[in-house]
Amino acid sequence: MKSVINYFKEIYFGLKSLITGMRITGHYFTHPKEIITQQYPENRETLKMFERFRGEVVLLHNENNEHKCTGCSACEVACPNGTIEIIHKRVDVDGRKVKALDTFVYHLQMCTMCGLCIPACPTDAIVMANTFEHAVFDRSKLTKVLNNPGSKIMDGIK
Amino acid sequence: MEDVITKPLESQEYFINMGPQHPSTHGVLRLVLSLDGEIIRKVEPHIGYIHRSIEKMCEHDSYQQIVHLTDRMDYLSCHINNEAVCLGVEMGLQLEVPERVKVIRTIIGELTRLSSHQLWWGVMGMDLGAITTFLYGFRDREMITDIFEETCGARLTMNYNVPGGLMFDIHPNFQKRTKDFITHFKKKLPEYDDLLSNNVIFRQRTMGIGKLSKEDTISYSVTGPSGRASGFSCDVRKHHPYSAYDKVQFKEILRTEGDCFARYQCRIDEMWESISIIEQLIDNIPEGSFKAPTKAVIKLPKGEFYQKVETARGEFGVYIISEGQKSPYRLKFRSPGFSNLSALNHMAQGCKIADLVAIMSTIDLVIPDIDR
Amino acid sequence: MKWLYDFSYLTRAIHEGLSTRFEPGTVVILEMVLVGITFMLLFALLGLVLVYAERKVSAVIQQRLGPMRVGKWGTAQTLADVIKLLLKEPLINKDADKFLFNLAPFVIMIAAFMAIAALPFAKGLHAIDFDIGILYVAAVSSLGVIGILLAGWSSNNKYSLIGAMRSGAQIISYELSVALSLLTIVVLTGSLQLSIIVESQANGWWIFKGHIPAMIAFVIFLIASTAETNRGPFDLAEAESELTAGFHTEYSGLKFAFFFLAEFANMFIVAGIGATVFLGGWMPFHIGSWEGFNAIMDFIPPIVWFFGKVGFMIFMMMWFRWTFPRLRIDQLLTLEWKYLLPINLMNIVLMAFLSLMGWHF
Ligand code: SF4
Ligand code: SF4
């Protein structure tokens, strides 16, 4: 007798647990307002990344096409995977030859977005930008030169 | 012809390659199964498909750079991995980090554990055929990744720890967002029970499956929730507290059954514990600096340092041998996934293919963690 | 508009129109071709609509939007998928048994075609009205398993074979429960003919008239028919997390589309049988003596009633699929032989008793 009762008890509790589960999914089915999908390419205008989001390294330029990079290579050293290459040149300042930035090469395809280069820079010349649409059809496009053509270093940055 | 008829029918064992591309090996794990019908006789894991020689790479990276490599191991508990390396380096430097850092590390560590468990829960349901749970798990995880993105700058590979502290201070919104998440998730967690834990099919699928006794757990050194489900008290947070774990009250979840359901329930209960840890700390973040001053080039003194932490999967250890240089002479990670996987053959013998899937999801494998 | 309520006007008009022009033999052949084309179109339409419905239902259950890009609300998505499947290369495994491999999808489709012929869609819209309708449908709908077994065997893939074997065991067992739960209602109607069963529900559907045992039978039918169509939580033959894609792992392109279509066609068929036997087929919903209400219900054409009920059954199946975890093969068989079958047998006895005592409505 006991086993018979257990048999039906099992069925009852089994069915009950199934119905509880169906109630949850049924709830979401009847509440389409709770849908969380964002339709990504369509919502480009409204999509805002958080300000700290690390998308790519950029060298800041001001309106006079000046940047703050002294070409000290600290970021190159801090980078764990050789993403940054600083190419120097020698310029005359007050009759002395000093090191300065010639080309700031940034291999986006190697960057792990670890952000170690940013605090390493003594002059805060580089920051992480929020962009994230990095896909290109040609790999060579991922190797970028970050200093704008004709740009020069800001006054007073050493 | 005659002997064909008189010869008794023989059953033969056969082999199946499960993986490296298979929906439920959660990555590039290859299992060679010896099967008798649907019954598993032997499981032979073949690993190494995603080996990136992280340990070797560490030997010529600076200590700051090593941290970001650990993101790529167990990517679901990356913050805790980072923390392990940082704690190891801080131990070597005998550096006392500010209280603020300790508390923030603990909160984000618990958030990481929650997000890892949420993803595991979703995937567990999906492995057993309830695809909807996958999306519910991700729905709740999304809020945590948002918190991470706002404060740490990335959703998965956060690299928020640096030796001596944190990369930057928490975002002003951090506390509010975390509290919002906790209120939201406290409402959603019972749903997890309704959808899976109490479901009769799920219980049948997991109860009594893949049993692991306490002795076997210890001899295979299965740690984390998988070990605690067999009664092996191995919570590093409890036994060797690091960061702020000595200041919070929480229970070490222990169960005795050692089957799939116990492992499942352990993780669900751990989520409640994590919530309570976060609740205790979130309003009590002490003021102070977010980073202890360190030299630009960190050189550990000559010696050996071992630091272990509790990730979402178990005990994660960092063993640093330093020769006094700016990079370690040798570095070894003790990853929980590797040991947990080793017990798979023991657990799966005599089970069916469907059970193997359940067992694999309850030991919560992350393959890059195994291969490193 | 009369034909919308009674399709026999339409069918008779077609028959007479053809008879005036052709010999009687030709008329029969022409009518058969006409019916065949209709069913083919119906299947194609069903595939498109049901795949879309499944995607949307699953999406909303999972708090997603589902397909949204092709056409308004993604309505043309399935059409785009069909084109994609047609353009795909039909790959065949090197060591596969080519003949059986190519045959399998057709066997499944043929089984589905044979079963759908016996369904009464509306008054007078009924391809063949067998006097053993239920028996025929039950027999034919389980022919599909041959296709699954062939597919699994001929693919030369162990995953496919395991899936096929599981499916064989599963369908043979659940066939019993489906048939027995239908028999419970047959006890009341006293006939296996589907048209008579529908007519007998003019004053109320069997699920209400037969109250408790009919409801038990309906629940059993829902479970067993879900299992018979190989849908989650009983989709062990596919079990994507265990067997990658089960019996159709090796199929691609058009042949895969056939399997996919057959799944939805089978779903429609079992839902149609369930609707016919338990929910009154194309009969409108009537409540006792509420004349006004009954008149309004009568105003809705029978074909809408039929498809509405079928839609309800299919929605239930989708709801199951997107909620529950999958069973294991031994649990599946336990469920059938230890729970469904004994309960079903008891239920039939109970029903026989009820109908003897005249305790049903
Ligand atoms: S983010 Fe990391 S990987 Fe990228 S350039 Fe900076 S240091 Fe190098
Ligand atoms: S970006 Fe900063 S760290 Fe890098 S070279 Fe320029 S100044 Fe030095």
mmCIF file of all heavy atoms in Angstrom, chain B residues 14-15 17-18 22-24 38 127-128 132 135-136 139 204-205 209 354-355, chain C residues 61-64 158-159 162 166 240-242 244 322 324-328 331:
data_model
loop_
_atom_site.group_PDB
_atom_site.id
_atom_site.type_symbol
_atom_site.label_atom_id
_atom_site.label_comp_id
_atom_site.label_asym_id
_atom_site.label_seq_id
_atom_site.Cartn_x
_atom_site.Cartn_y
_atom_site.Cartn_z
ATOM 1 N N TYR B 14 33.489 -0.140 -28.332
ATOM 2 C CA TYR B 14 33.891 0.702 -29.435
ATOM 3 C C TYR B 14 34.283 2.074 -28.905
ATOM 4 O O TYR B 14 34.002 2.413 -27.760
ATOM 5 C CB TYR B 14 32.787 0.792 -30.483
ATOM 6 C CG TYR B 14 31.519 1.449 -30.042
ATOM 7 C CD1 TYR B 14 31.196 2.730 -30.445
ATOM 8 C CD2 TYR B 14 30.622 0.778 -29.230
ATOM 9 C CE1 TYR B 14 30.030 3.328 -30.047
ATOM 10 C CE2 TYR B 14 29.456 1.370 -28.827
ATOM 11 C CZ TYR B 14 29.163 2.639 -29.229
ATOM 12 O OH TYR B 14 28.002 3.231 -28.827
ATOM 13 N N PHE B 15 34.938 2.823 -29.757
ATOM 14 C CA PHE B 15 35.478 4.108 -29.312
ATOM 15 C C PHE B 15 34.730 5.243 -29.975
ATOM 16 O O PHE B 15 34.324 5.150 -31.124
ATOM 17 C CB PHE B 15 36.952 4.221 -29.673
ATOM 18 C CG PHE B 15 37.801 3.258 -28.935
ATOM 19 C CD1 PHE B 15 38.107 2.039 -29.482
ATOM 20 C CD2 PHE B 15 38.267 3.569 -27.673
ATOM 21 C CE1 PHE B 15 38.874 1.130 -28.790
ATOM 22 C CE2 PHE B 15 39.026 2.666 -26.974
ATOM 23 C CZ PHE B 15 39.342 1.447 -27.530
ATOM 24 N N ASN B 17 35.146 9.499 -30.366
ATOM 25 C CA ASN B 17 35.888 10.711 -30.105
ATOM 26 C C ASN B 17 34.920 11.799 -29.741
ATOM 27 O O ASN B 17 34.143 12.243 -30.574
ATOM 28 C CB ASN B 17 36.608 11.141 -31.377
ATOM 29 C CG ASN B 17 38.062 10.900 -31.284
ATOM 30 O OD1 ASN B 17 38.655 11.096 -30.231
ATOM 31 N ND2 ASN B 17 38.653 10.480 -32.368
ATOM 32 N N MET B 18 34.949 12.203 -28.514
ATOM 33 C CA MET B 18 34.084 13.307 -28.120
ATOM 34 C C MET B 18 34.981 14.535 -28.081
ATOM 35 O O MET B 18 35.835 14.657 -27.234
ATOM 36 C CB MET B 18 33.496 13.014 -26.753
ATOM 37 C CG MET B 18 32.279 13.782 -26.441
ATOM 38 S SD MET B 18 31.400 12.925 -25.151
ATOM 39 C CE MET B 18 30.254 14.176 -24.649
ATOM 40 N N HIS B 22 33.025 19.642 -29.914
ATOM 41 C CA HIS B 22 31.797 19.001 -29.474
ATOM 42 C C HIS B 22 31.062 20.007 -28.594
ATOM 43 O O HIS B 22 31.684 20.718 -27.820
ATOM 44 C CB HIS B 22 32.129 17.732 -28.691
ATOM 45 C CG HIS B 22 30.925 16.903 -28.376
ATOM 46 N ND1 HIS B 22 30.096 17.218 -27.338
ATOM 47 C CD2 HIS B 22 30.419 15.803 -28.956
ATOM 48 C CE1 HIS B 22 29.119 16.333 -27.302
ATOM 49 N NE2 HIS B 22 29.293 15.460 -28.270
ATOM 50 N N PRO B 23 29.738 20.060 -28.721
ATOM 51 C CA PRO B 23 29.017 21.124 -28.028
ATOM 52 C C PRO B 23 29.172 21.080 -26.515
ATOM 53 O O PRO B 23 29.027 22.100 -25.873
ATOM 54 C CB PRO B 23 27.564 20.893 -28.424
ATOM 55 C CG PRO B 23 27.567 19.925 -29.520
ATOM 56 C CD PRO B 23 28.883 19.267 -29.584
ATOM 57 N N SER B 24 29.407 19.922 -25.929
ATOM 58 C CA SER B 24 29.382 19.923 -24.466
ATOM 59 C C SER B 24 30.742 19.688 -23.850
ATOM 60 O O SER B 24 30.819 19.439 -22.658
ATOM 61 C CB SER B 24 28.381 18.899 -23.961
ATOM 62 O OG SER B 24 28.786 17.636 -24.351
ATOM 63 N N GLU B 38 25.649 2.091 -24.757
ATOM 64 C CA GLU B 38 25.733 3.487 -24.310
ATOM 65 C C GLU B 38 26.479 3.602 -23.000
ATOM 66 O O GLU B 38 26.595 4.689 -22.445
ATOM 67 C CB GLU B 38 24.324 4.062 -24.146
ATOM 68 C CG GLU B 38 23.757 4.577 -25.437
ATOM 69 C CD GLU B 38 22.883 5.803 -25.245
ATOM 70 O OE1 GLU B 38 23.148 6.584 -24.331
ATOM 71 O OE2 GLU B 38 21.946 5.957 -26.031
ATOM 72 N N ASP B 127 23.399 21.818 -21.289
ATOM 73 C CA ASP B 127 23.958 20.487 -21.494
ATOM 74 C C ASP B 127 22.919 19.408 -21.259
ATOM 75 O O ASP B 127 22.940 18.356 -21.884
ATOM 76 C CB ASP B 127 25.123 20.251 -20.539
ATOM 77 C CG ASP B 127 26.387 20.861 -21.077
ATOM 78 O OD1 ASP B 127 26.388 21.219 -22.261
ATOM 79 O OD2 ASP B 127 27.354 20.986 -20.319
ATOM 80 N N LEU B 128 22.024 19.671 -20.338
ATOM 81 C CA LEU B 128 20.992 18.676 -20.065
ATOM 82 C C LEU B 128 19.775 18.898 -20.942
ATOM 83 O O LEU B 128 18.765 18.239 -20.764
ATOM 84 C CB LEU B 128 20.589 18.725 -18.597
ATOM 85 C CG LEU B 128 21.704 18.349 -17.638
ATOM 86 C CD1 LEU B 128 21.195 18.377 -16.221
ATOM 87 C CD2 LEU B 128 22.247 16.981 -17.943
ATOM 88 N N THR B 132 16.757 27.107 -22.491
ATOM 89 C CA THR B 132 16.326 28.404 -21.985
ATOM 90 C C THR B 132 17.185 28.881 -20.822
ATOM 91 O O THR B 132 17.468 30.072 -20.704
ATOM 92 C CB THR B 132 14.856 28.308 -21.565
ATOM 93 O OG1 THR B 132 14.125 27.871 -22.703
ATOM 94 C CG2 THR B 132 14.318 29.617 -21.132
ATOM 95 N N LEU B 135 20.075 31.249 -21.545
ATOM 96 C CA LEU B 135 19.850 32.677 -21.742
ATOM 97 C C LEU B 135 19.494 33.376 -20.452
ATOM 98 O O LEU B 135 19.845 34.528 -20.257
ATOM 99 C CB LEU B 135 18.787 32.874 -22.808
ATOM 100 C CG LEU B 135 19.417 32.523 -24.142
ATOM 101 C CD1 LEU B 135 18.650 31.485 -24.858
ATOM 102 C CD2 LEU B 135 19.634 33.752 -24.954
ATOM 103 N N TYR B 136 18.828 32.665 -19.548
ATOM 104 C CA TYR B 136 18.537 33.292 -18.259
ATOM 105 C C TYR B 136 19.831 33.511 -17.475
ATOM 106 O O TYR B 136 19.995 34.535 -16.815
ATOM 107 C CB TYR B 136 17.566 32.433 -17.444
ATOM 108 C CG TYR B 136 16.160 32.390 -18.000
ATOM 109 C CD1 TYR B 136 15.208 31.541 -17.479
ATOM 110 C CD2 TYR B 136 15.785 33.222 -19.046
ATOM 111 C CE1 TYR B 136 13.928 31.491 -17.987
ATOM 112 C CE2 TYR B 136 14.509 33.184 -19.563
ATOM 113 C CZ TYR B 136 13.581 32.316 -19.027
ATOM 114 O OH TYR B 136 12.326 32.276 -19.526
ATOM 115 N N ARG B 139 21.490 36.433 -18.926
ATOM 116 C CA ARG B 139 20.770 37.675 -18.628
ATOM 117 C C ARG B 139 21.262 38.271 -17.309
ATOM 118 O O ARG B 139 21.554 39.461 -17.228
ATOM 119 C CB ARG B 139 19.280 37.350 -18.527
ATOM 120 C CG ARG B 139 18.437 38.455 -17.989
ATOM 121 C CD ARG B 139 17.081 37.925 -17.569
ATOM 122 N NE ARG B 139 17.209 37.048 -16.400
ATOM 123 C CZ ARG B 139 16.273 36.224 -16.002
ATOM 124 N NH1 ARG B 139 15.161 36.105 -16.668
ATOM 125 N NH2 ARG B 139 16.439 35.463 -14.930
ATOM 126 N N GLN B 204 16.323 13.671 -11.508
ATOM 127 C CA GLN B 204 16.596 12.298 -11.936
ATOM 128 C C GLN B 204 17.901 12.209 -12.707
ATOM 129 O O GLN B 204 18.621 11.228 -12.615
ATOM 130 C CB GLN B 204 15.470 11.807 -12.830
ATOM 131 C CG GLN B 204 14.139 11.774 -12.168
ATOM 132 C CD GLN B 204 13.774 10.378 -11.772
ATOM 133 O OE1 GLN B 204 14.003 9.460 -12.528
ATOM 134 N NE2 GLN B 204 13.233 10.224 -10.595
ATOM 135 N N ARG B 205 18.158 13.252 -13.473
ATOM 136 C CA ARG B 205 19.364 13.212 -14.293
ATOM 137 C C ARG B 205 20.630 13.362 -13.468
ATOM 138 O O ARG B 205 21.708 12.958 -13.903
ATOM 139 C CB ARG B 205 19.337 14.346 -15.328
ATOM 140 C CG ARG B 205 18.473 14.114 -16.512
ATOM 141 C CD ARG B 205 19.008 13.072 -17.437
ATOM 142 N NE ARG B 205 20.355 13.298 -17.935
ATOM 143 C CZ ARG B 205 20.630 14.009 -19.013
ATOM 144 N NH1 ARG B 205 19.681 14.544 -19.703
ATOM 145 N NH2 ARG B 205 21.862 14.146 -19.416
ATOM 146 N N ILE B 209 24.416 10.335 -9.737
ATOM 147 C CA ILE B 209 25.234 10.181 -10.942
ATOM 148 C C ILE B 209 26.632 10.715 -10.669
ATOM 149 O O ILE B 209 26.791 11.758 -10.048
ATOM 150 C CB ILE B 209 24.608 10.978 -12.111
ATOM 151 C CG1 ILE B 209 23.167 10.555 -12.361
ATOM 152 C CG2 ILE B 209 25.438 10.833 -13.362
ATOM 153 C CD1 ILE B 209 23.016 9.147 -12.813
ATOM 154 N N ALA B 354 24.831 10.321 -21.732
ATOM 155 C CA ALA B 354 24.122 11.494 -21.239
ATOM 156 C C ALA B 354 24.616 11.885 -19.860
ATOM 157 O O ALA B 354 24.678 13.064 -19.521
ATOM 158 C CB ALA B 354 22.628 11.210 -21.210
ATOM 159 N N ASP B 355 24.997 10.883 -19.047
ATOM 160 C CA ASP B 355 25.501 11.191 -17.710
ATOM 161 C C ASP B 355 26.860 11.853 -17.783
ATOM 162 O O ASP B 355 27.176 12.729 -16.979
ATOM 163 C CB ASP B 355 25.623 9.908 -16.887
ATOM 164 C CG ASP B 355 24.289 9.299 -16.624
ATOM 165 O OD1 ASP B 355 23.306 10.046 -16.624
ATOM 166 O OD2 ASP B 355 24.225 8.079 -16.428
ATOM 167 N N ILE C 61 10.207 33.362 -24.968
ATOM 168 C CA ILE C 61 10.392 32.649 -23.699
ATOM 169 C C ILE C 61 11.768 32.955 -23.131
ATOM 170 O O ILE C 61 11.948 33.134 -21.934
ATOM 171 C CB ILE C 61 10.199 31.139 -23.921
ATOM 172 C CG1 ILE C 61 8.709 30.818 -23.970
ATOM 173 C CG2 ILE C 61 10.851 30.351 -22.813
ATOM 174 C CD1 ILE C 61 8.410 29.369 -24.132
ATOM 175 N N GLN C 62 12.753 33.041 -24.009
ATOM 176 C CA GLN C 62 14.117 33.275 -23.541
ATOM 177 C C GLN C 62 14.462 34.748 -23.469
ATOM 178 O O GLN C 62 15.624 35.121 -23.455
ATOM 179 C CB GLN C 62 15.100 32.567 -24.462
ATOM 180 C CG GLN C 62 14.890 31.082 -24.471
ATOM 181 C CD GLN C 62 15.677 30.404 -25.545
ATOM 182 O OE1 GLN C 62 16.186 31.044 -26.446
ATOM 183 N NE2 GLN C 62 15.771 29.096 -25.463
ATOM 184 N N GLN C 63 13.470 35.599 -23.500
ATOM 185 C CA GLN C 63 13.661 37.054 -23.407
ATOM 186 C C GLN C 63 14.540 37.591 -24.526
ATOM 187 O O GLN C 63 15.369 38.465 -24.322
ATOM 188 C CB GLN C 63 14.263 37.430 -22.060
ATOM 189 C CG GLN C 63 13.361 37.037 -20.930
ATOM 190 C CD GLN C 63 13.861 37.581 -19.635
ATOM 191 O OE1 GLN C 63 14.787 37.051 -19.067
ATOM 192 N NE2 GLN C 63 13.267 38.634 -19.164
ATOM 193 N N ARG C 64 14.371 37.008 -25.686
ATOM 194 C CA ARG C 64 15.086 37.533 -26.851
ATOM 195 C C ARG C 64 14.061 38.077 -27.821
ATOM 196 O O ARG C 64 12.863 38.016 -27.565
ATOM 197 C CB ARG C 64 15.865 36.409 -27.551
ATOM 198 C CG ARG C 64 16.912 35.755 -26.737
ATOM 199 C CD ARG C 64 17.643 34.729 -27.565
ATOM 200 N NE ARG C 64 16.883 33.516 -27.766
ATOM 201 C CZ ARG C 64 16.543 33.036 -28.954
ATOM 202 N NH1 ARG C 64 16.870 33.680 -30.050
ATOM 203 N NH2 ARG C 64 15.880 31.911 -29.066
ATOM 204 N N LYS C 158 29.107 7.053 -35.701
ATOM 205 C CA LYS C 158 28.628 6.408 -34.474
ATOM 206 C C LYS C 158 27.615 7.268 -33.746
ATOM 207 O O LYS C 158 26.670 6.756 -33.145
ATOM 208 C CB LYS C 158 29.804 6.095 -33.565
ATOM 209 C CG LYS C 158 30.645 4.965 -34.096
ATOM 210 C CD LYS C 158 31.937 4.867 -33.316
ATOM 211 C CE LYS C 158 32.946 4.025 -34.056
ATOM 212 N NZ LYS C 158 34.295 4.253 -33.552
ATOM 213 N N TYR C 159 27.805 8.572 -33.806
ATOM 214 C CA TYR C 159 26.826 9.440 -33.163
ATOM 215 C C TYR C 159 25.450 9.242 -33.779
ATOM 216 O O TYR C 159 24.440 9.143 -33.085
ATOM 217 C CB TYR C 159 27.228 10.905 -33.326
ATOM 218 C CG TYR C 159 28.360 11.340 -32.442
ATOM 219 C CD1 TYR C 159 29.534 11.818 -32.971
ATOM 220 C CD2 TYR C 159 28.232 11.271 -31.065
ATOM 221 C CE1 TYR C 159 30.572 12.232 -32.155
ATOM 222 C CE2 TYR C 159 29.255 11.682 -30.241
ATOM 223 C CZ TYR C 159 30.431 12.162 -30.795
ATOM 224 O OH TYR C 159 31.437 12.561 -29.992
ATOM 225 N N ILE C 162 23.933 5.893 -32.646
ATOM 226 C CA ILE C 162 23.396 5.912 -31.280
ATOM 227 C C ILE C 162 22.068 6.651 -31.273
ATOM 228 O O ILE C 162 21.082 6.203 -30.681
ATOM 229 C CB ILE C 162 24.392 6.581 -30.319
ATOM 230 C CG1 ILE C 162 25.678 5.788 -30.262
ATOM 231 C CG2 ILE C 162 23.800 6.683 -28.929
ATOM 232 C CD1 ILE C 162 26.731 6.438 -29.411
ATOM 233 N N ARG C 166 18.449 5.008 -30.217
ATOM 234 C CA ARG C 166 17.629 5.590 -29.151
ATOM 235 C C ARG C 166 16.233 5.875 -29.664
ATOM 236 O O ARG C 166 15.231 5.555 -29.027
ATOM 237 C CB ARG C 166 18.232 6.916 -28.711
ATOM 238 C CG ARG C 166 19.426 6.795 -27.840
ATOM 239 C CD ARG C 166 19.863 8.192 -27.515
ATOM 240 N NE ARG C 166 20.993 8.211 -26.614
ATOM 241 C CZ ARG C 166 21.494 9.336 -26.122
ATOM 242 N NH1 ARG C 166 20.977 10.478 -26.475
ATOM 243 N NH2 ARG C 166 22.505 9.297 -25.298
ATOM 244 N N GLU C 240 21.527 17.474 -28.974
ATOM 245 C CA GLU C 240 22.698 18.175 -29.510
ATOM 246 C C GLU C 240 23.838 18.285 -28.517
ATOM 247 O O GLU C 240 24.982 18.372 -28.932
ATOM 248 C CB GLU C 240 22.299 19.532 -30.082
ATOM 249 C CG GLU C 240 22.040 20.631 -29.082
ATOM 250 C CD GLU C 240 20.735 20.444 -28.339
ATOM 251 O OE1 GLU C 240 19.816 19.874 -28.942
ATOM 252 O OE2 GLU C 240 20.642 20.856 -27.184
ATOM 253 N N SER C 241 23.554 18.221 -27.203
ATOM 254 C CA SER C 241 24.689 18.349 -26.293
ATOM 255 C C SER C 241 25.399 17.009 -26.090
ATOM 256 O O SER C 241 26.501 16.985 -25.585
ATOM 257 C CB SER C 241 24.238 18.918 -24.958
ATOM 258 O OG SER C 241 23.311 18.072 -24.368
ATOM 259 N N GLU C 242 24.761 15.919 -26.489
ATOM 260 C CA GLU C 242 25.442 14.634 -26.335
ATOM 261 C C GLU C 242 25.933 14.107 -27.673
ATOM 262 O O GLU C 242 27.070 13.706 -27.830
ATOM 263 C CB GLU C 242 24.475 13.602 -25.722
ATOM 264 C CG GLU C 242 24.034 13.964 -24.327
ATOM 265 C CD GLU C 242 22.656 13.414 -24.037
ATOM 266 O OE1 GLU C 242 22.282 12.397 -24.634
ATOM 267 O OE2 GLU C 242 21.953 14.019 -23.217
ATOM 268 N N THR C 244 25.916 15.615 -30.744
ATOM 269 C CA THR C 244 26.034 16.717 -31.712
ATOM 270 C C THR C 244 24.711 16.949 -32.452
ATOM 271 O O THR C 244 24.023 17.877 -32.141
ATOM 272 C CB THR C 244 27.196 16.533 -32.683
ATOM 273 O OG1 THR C 244 27.025 15.315 -33.375
ATOM 274 C CG2 THR C 244 28.512 16.488 -31.951
ATOM 275 N N TRP C 322 10.969 24.269 -24.559
ATOM 276 C CA TRP C 322 11.840 25.356 -24.117
ATOM 277 C C TRP C 322 11.846 25.512 -22.624
ATOM 278 O O TRP C 322 12.295 26.526 -22.107
ATOM 279 C CB TRP C 322 11.453 26.650 -24.831
ATOM 280 C CG TRP C 322 11.651 26.500 -26.291
ATOM 281 C CD1 TRP C 322 10.674 26.385 -27.229
ATOM 282 C CD2 TRP C 322 12.887 26.357 -26.985
ATOM 283 N NE1 TRP C 322 11.231 26.193 -28.462
ATOM 284 C CE2 TRP C 322 12.585 26.174 -28.340
ATOM 285 C CE3 TRP C 322 14.225 26.362 -26.590
ATOM 286 C CZ2 TRP C 322 13.554 25.989 -29.309
ATOM 287 C CZ3 TRP C 322 15.192 26.191 -27.551
ATOM 288 C CH2 TRP C 322 14.850 26.005 -28.897
ATOM 289 N N PHE C 324 11.983 22.303 -20.333
ATOM 290 C CA PHE C 324 12.474 21.162 -19.570
ATOM 291 C C PHE C 324 13.829 20.680 -20.041
ATOM 292 O O PHE C 324 14.137 20.738 -21.225
ATOM 293 C CB PHE C 324 11.493 19.999 -19.687
ATOM 294 C CG PHE C 324 10.136 20.330 -19.182
ATOM 295 C CD1 PHE C 324 9.015 19.921 -19.862
ATOM 296 C CD2 PHE C 324 9.994 21.067 -18.040
ATOM 297 C CE1 PHE C 324 7.759 20.247 -19.401
ATOM 298 C CE2 PHE C 324 8.748 21.395 -17.576
ATOM 299 C CZ PHE C 324 7.629 20.983 -18.261
ATOM 300 N N PRO C 325 14.600 20.126 -19.099
ATOM 301 C CA PRO C 325 15.806 19.406 -19.517
ATOM 302 C C PRO C 325 15.439 18.074 -20.161
ATOM 303 O O PRO C 325 14.315 17.590 -19.991
ATOM 304 C CB PRO C 325 16.580 19.193 -18.218
ATOM 305 C CG PRO C 325 15.684 19.568 -17.118
ATOM 306 C CD PRO C 325 14.471 20.206 -17.652
ATOM 307 N N ARG C 326 16.377 17.528 -20.872
ATOM 308 C CA ARG C 326 16.139 16.294 -21.606
ATOM 309 C C ARG C 326 16.225 15.082 -20.683
ATOM 310 O O ARG C 326 16.981 15.082 -19.715
ATOM 311 C CB ARG C 326 17.194 16.185 -22.700
ATOM 312 C CG ARG C 326 17.023 15.041 -23.642
ATOM 313 C CD ARG C 326 18.176 14.992 -24.600
ATOM 314 N NE ARG C 326 18.318 16.261 -25.307
ATOM 315 C CZ ARG C 326 19.390 17.021 -25.245
ATOM 316 N NH1 ARG C 326 20.420 16.662 -24.536
ATOM 317 N NH2 ARG C 326 19.441 18.149 -25.910
ATOM 318 N N LEU C 327 15.446 14.059 -20.995
ATOM 319 C CA LEU C 327 15.525 12.830 -20.215
ATOM 320 C C LEU C 327 16.667 11.965 -20.722
ATOM 321 O O LEU C 327 17.148 12.148 -21.830
ATOM 322 C CB LEU C 327 14.220 12.038 -20.322
ATOM 323 C CG LEU C 327 13.090 12.461 -19.406
ATOM 324 C CD1 LEU C 327 12.349 13.621 -19.988
ATOM 325 C CD2 LEU C 327 12.162 11.303 -19.174
ATOM 326 N N ARG C 328 17.044 11.003 -19.885
ATOM 327 C CA ARG C 328 18.039 10.040 -20.327
ATOM 328 C C ARG C 328 17.288 8.854 -20.899
ATOM 329 O O ARG C 328 16.118 8.655 -20.600
ATOM 330 C CB ARG C 328 18.871 9.620 -19.124
ATOM 331 C CG ARG C 328 20.249 9.128 -19.450
ATOM 332 C CD ARG C 328 21.001 8.951 -18.172
ATOM 333 N NE ARG C 328 20.287 8.055 -17.280
ATOM 334 C CZ ARG C 328 20.386 8.107 -15.964
ATOM 335 N NH1 ARG C 328 21.131 8.997 -15.396
ATOM 336 N NH2 ARG C 328 19.717 7.261 -15.214
ATOM 337 N N GLN C 331 15.564 6.601 -18.425
ATOM 338 C CA GLN C 331 14.452 7.272 -17.748
ATOM 339 C C GLN C 331 13.261 7.419 -18.677
ATOM 340 O O GLN C 331 12.113 7.333 -18.254
ATOM 341 C CB GLN C 331 14.888 8.656 -17.289
ATOM 342 C CG GLN C 331 15.853 8.598 -16.144
ATOM 343 C CD GLN C 331 16.613 9.875 -16.009
ATOM 344 O OE1 GLN C 331 16.474 10.784 -16.805
ATOM 345 N NE2 GLN C 331 17.441 9.930 -14.988
#
